[in-house]
Amino acid sequence: MGSLSNKIAVVIGGHEGIGGAIAERFAAEGATVYATSRRAAEGETAHGAGVPRPRRVDASDLAELGAFFEAVRHEAGRVDVLAVNAGISEFATLDEVSEDHFDRTFGLNVRALLFATKAATAIMPDGGSVVLVGSIADGIGTKGYGVYGATKAAVRSFARTWANELAPRKIRVNVVAPGPTDTAMMAAASDEVRDTLTKLIPLGHMARASEVASAALFFASEESSFITGTELPVDGGMAQV
């Protein structure tokens, strides 16, 4: 019996990278997992224990997002665990920020996250869990990533408020905050950038997506039953020491 046996889990942005690792880990722990992505193949389906069920959804499109949660309600009847990972990170210093950059980043990282959480908790039984994927960027002021960092600070703030609002229903809300993580997105960065980031991490290497997924599983499961409103950095100590 896995720690999420008989649970219905939704992972927004769960096709690859950190989100994909979370979806796979939840499924391996016994959950029925609906994993959304804009890049999931049209009509792609997967069934059986331990296999995420991909759904092609643009989380920034609230009509698509609403239709997806209605489909989950119809098929599964509820959502026990929600993990929201969908997000973008684009470089732009203050003098380079455009309206499009701001709207696109806040639209996915904050607006979509808010309405996904609203829709999921509307069909979540008492005792459920919400796991928001933030970032240590919410507090370190990385040059060129001011808008991205601000979106993650908003995620952290939402977690505190929602933990308070949902406490009467015993629904817990927590944030997993990764540091640099060895995903396909990071692999596209130059060796110089990767080396520079790695040297800032006391443990000497970037996180693996599976390590972030382990933290998400902790918050999703009963192992964290008395923890809510908190943020867990998964950064090898980068922003901690």
Side-chain angles (χ1 to χ4, degrees), residues 89-206:
S89 174
E90 299 174 341
F91 183 91
T93 58
L94 177 61
D95 60 336
E96 296 170 331
V97 171
S98 65
E99 290 184 26
D100 181 64
H101 169 81
F102 180 91
D103 292 344
R104 185 169 59 252
T105 308
F106 265 84
L108 183 57
N109 295 12
V110 180
R111 185 170 180 262
L113 175 138
L114 185 159
F115 286 101
T117 305
K118 179 180 179 180
T121 54
I123 56 174
M124 183 174 286
D126 290 2
S129 178
V130 176
V131 183
L132 308 176
V133 178
S135 169
I136 62 170
D138 66 3
I140 62 176
T142 306
K143 293 179 180 178
Y145 290 94
V147 174
Y148 174 74
T151 66
K152 294 305 182 178
V155 171
R156 181 69 186 98
S157 180
F158 275 146
R160 288 188 171 100
T161 302
W162 297 340
N164 210 11
E165 291 179 350
L166 295 169
R169 296 173 55 194
K170 310 301 182 187
I171 294 174
R172 298 175 295 106
V173 184
N174 292 289
V175 178
V176 172
T181 304
D182 198 6
T183 61
M185 180 184 299
M186 185 58 70
S190 68
D191 290 341
E192 180 181 2
V193 169
R194 290 171 58 86
D195 290 344
T196 298
L197 290 172
T198 301
K199 288 175 181 177
L200 297 173
I201 302 172
L203 289 184
H205 65 86
M206 294 185 189

Side-chain angles (χ1 to χ4, degrees), residues 8 32 34 47 53 55 68-78:
I8 306 298
T32 296
Y34 293 86
H47 300 284
R53 302 180 179 191
R55 294 291 189 272
F68 163 72
F69 277 104
E70 178 58 26
V72 172
R73 186 197 64 76
H74 178 74
E75 292 178 22
R78 67 186 194 279

Side-chain angles (χ1 to χ4, degrees), residues 32-55:
T32 296
V33 180
Y34 293 86
T36 78
S37 171
R38 287 179 290 186
R39 290 182 291 277
E42 187 70 50
E44 183 180 357
T45 58
H47 300 284
V51 180
R53 302 180 179 191
R55 294 291 189 272

